């Protein structure tokens, strides 16, 4: 499989000079500023679906990902996936049987054959080491990086900024990996005590936590400045693991298949039925994987995109206008991992929507990259939108509290604030015959404060994470300074 950039030069299929999977794995953005996508989406047949239904998570991951990855020997890829998706890594204190499912489906309302009611379910994606769905892809990325770097005899120094979930997920995925070091910037004293403990209590020699006396945006700006120093970047082999990384999107495609099979009757079920997925969205990475699963031929009837008060994507799917917000216009909400001003993966979907014409993307993003917006409402592209299955809605702090309460009272299930956004919007946009699967993106233990506000009680913590705030922490605190970060990197590498 070859990969092309959303910004061209041309979308020539079967270009032998185009990069393969392992080449783009470490690359981040394409040189022209675009995002990588496979030159065509592999199609799955009904006999593929019939066979895949019975597979374990790791084997299903191999079936799906081997269609996108042909430059790693199949036996190596299979072994790598078997090491990644284990009941141990996704155990989280659950029964062995539950843990072996990796992403178990939990029905809130079971389907009813007599009435034709499709049912409502939660797909659990947060049983990895940091209790958020980002582990599903990041754990694989850690193993892929280690494998590819060892093959090439190279090393990489990952520099990132986090407001919470991504940083811890990356650190748990990369800890102890050969050839990989992580330098992770976080805003000093602005994360929850639990989030701080998750990151700063890691003592692995290849993990470096740097707290910046500033906001998340200050940390992000430092990362950009360091990456724009091309000489420094090359000399110290600086890389990233941000949400535009193609391997992260590809890894997420797998659980749409897993969720589909579980929602349509498990082993022995039928592949004729359509399923809807509701996805709490920020950078459009998670739901982009759903779009790709659908393009591959998985019978997804509807992709329900849920935003919080930061509704830039909801606005687009309703009106055709994409208007990224200024930083000052971005609200700090109680589903903070969805507090984005622009959706970095969105360009991938728009590329498909405009018939994969890189010239159109270059034109649209020439405006976006200058802080502007675009409007597709009067174009044939907007008219095509329903054919892609997307619908959208938004949710507010009051909605989150009500949904968390209602879900706890009616189904006895405690959900986190992001999942609540998905459940709120998904419930509104249900059509009776189609099972609605809401993607769980984090566990409530990560967002204790809002759970207490909604329910007047604390969420349970998985065994092993009790008292992690009391563990010794290792973090270097610095002022907002590009030079200070470069100095730390030099100190560890020179
Ligand atoms: C990252 C994240 C999201 C948003 O996912 P995108 O792929 O950026 O759309 C939603 N919920 C949680 C808990 C997250 O960590």
């Amino acid at each position: 499989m070859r990969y092309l950039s959303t910004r061209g030069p041309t979308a020539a299929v079967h270009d032998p000079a185009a990069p393969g999977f392992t080449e783009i794995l470490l690359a981040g953005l394409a040189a022209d500023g675009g995002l990588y996508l496979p030159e065509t989406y592999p199609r799955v047949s009904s006999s593929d679906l019939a066979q895949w239904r019975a597979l374990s998570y790791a084997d299903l991951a191999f079936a799906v990902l081997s269609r996108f990855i042909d430059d790693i020997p199949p036996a190596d890829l299979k072994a790598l996936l078997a090491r990644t998706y284990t009941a141990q890594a996704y155990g989280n204190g659950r029964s062995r049987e539950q843990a072996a499912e990796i992403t178990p489906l939990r029905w809130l309302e079971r389907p009813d054959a007599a009435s034709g009611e499709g049912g409502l379910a939660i797909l659990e994606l947060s049983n990895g080491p940091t209790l958020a769905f980002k582990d599903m892809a990041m754990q694989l990325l850690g193993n892929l990086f280690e494998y590819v770097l060892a093959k090439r005899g190279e090393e990489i120094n990952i520099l990132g900024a986090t407001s919470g979930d991504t940083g811890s997920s990356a650190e748990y995925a990369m800890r102890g990996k050969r050839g990989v070091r992580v330098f992770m910037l976080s805003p000093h004293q602005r994360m929850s005590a639990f989030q701080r403990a998750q990151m700063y209590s890691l003592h692995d020699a290849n993990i470096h936590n740097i707290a910046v006396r500033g906001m998340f945006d200050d940390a992000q700006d430092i990362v950009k400045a360091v990456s724009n120093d091309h000489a420094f970047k090359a000399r110290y082999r600086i890389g990233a693991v941000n949400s535009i990384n193609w391997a992260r999107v590809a890894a997420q495609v797998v659980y749409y298949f897993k969720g589909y099979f579980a929602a349509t009757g498990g082993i022995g079920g039928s592949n004729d039925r359509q399923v809807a997925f509701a996805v709490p969205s920020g950078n459009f990475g998670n739901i982009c994987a759903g779009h790709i699963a659908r393009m591959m031929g998985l019978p997804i009837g509807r992709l329900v995109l849920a935003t919080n008060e930061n509704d830039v994507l909801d606005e687009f799917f309703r009106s055709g206008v994409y208007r990224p917000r200024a930083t000052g216009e971005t609200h700090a909400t109680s589903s903070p991992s969805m507090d984005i001003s622009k959706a970095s993966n969105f360009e991938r979907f728009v590329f498909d929507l405009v018939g994969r014409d890189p010239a159109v993307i270059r034109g649209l993003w020439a405006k976006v990259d200058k802080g502007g917006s675009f409007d597709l409402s009067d174009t044939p592209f907007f008219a095509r939108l329903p054919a892609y299955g997307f619908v959208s809605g938004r949710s507010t702090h009051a909605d989150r509290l009500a949904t968390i309460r209602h879900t706890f009272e009616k189904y006895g299930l405690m959900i986190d604030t992001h999942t609540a956004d998905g459940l709120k919007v998904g419930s509104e946009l249900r059509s009776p015959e189609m099972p609605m699967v809401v993607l769980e993106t984090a566990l409530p233990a990560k967002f204790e404060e809002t759970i207490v506000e909604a329910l007047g009680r604390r969420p349970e913590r998985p065994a092993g994470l009790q008292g992690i705030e009391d563990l010794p922490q290792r973090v270097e605190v610095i002022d907002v300074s590009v030079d200070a970060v470069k100095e730390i990197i030099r100190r560890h590498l020179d």
Side-chain angles (χ1 to χ4, degrees), residues 85-96:
Y85 296 111
T86 63
Q88 195 190 8
Y90 292 87
N92 189 11
R94 299 171 308 148
S95 75
R96 187 181 273 266

Side-chain angles (χ1 to χ4, degrees), residues 126 131-134 165-166 243 248 252 255 279-288 313 335-338 340 344-345 416-419 440-443 446-447:
S126 312
L131 316 187
F133 88 101
K134 294 203 167 60
D165 293 338
T166 309
S243 81
R248 282 182 61 183
Q252 293 169 178
Y255 53 69
V279 188
S281 292
N283 272 320
F284 204 80
N286 199 354
I287 203 164
C288 186
L313 288 167
S335 45
S337 303
M338 292 157 62
I340 53 103
S344 50
N345 273 293
D416 97 289
T417 51
H418 307 76
T419 308
E440 171 208 79
T441 56
L443 290 192
K446 285 198 105 160
F447 301 96

Side-chain angles (χ1 to χ4, degrees), residues 414 444-449 451-452 457-461:
M414 212 184 268
K446 285 198 105 160
F447 301 96
E448 226 167 64
E449 211 175 280
I451 302 298
V452 170
R457 59 196 281 176
R458 283 177 191 285
E460 268 179 37
R461 278 220 191 149

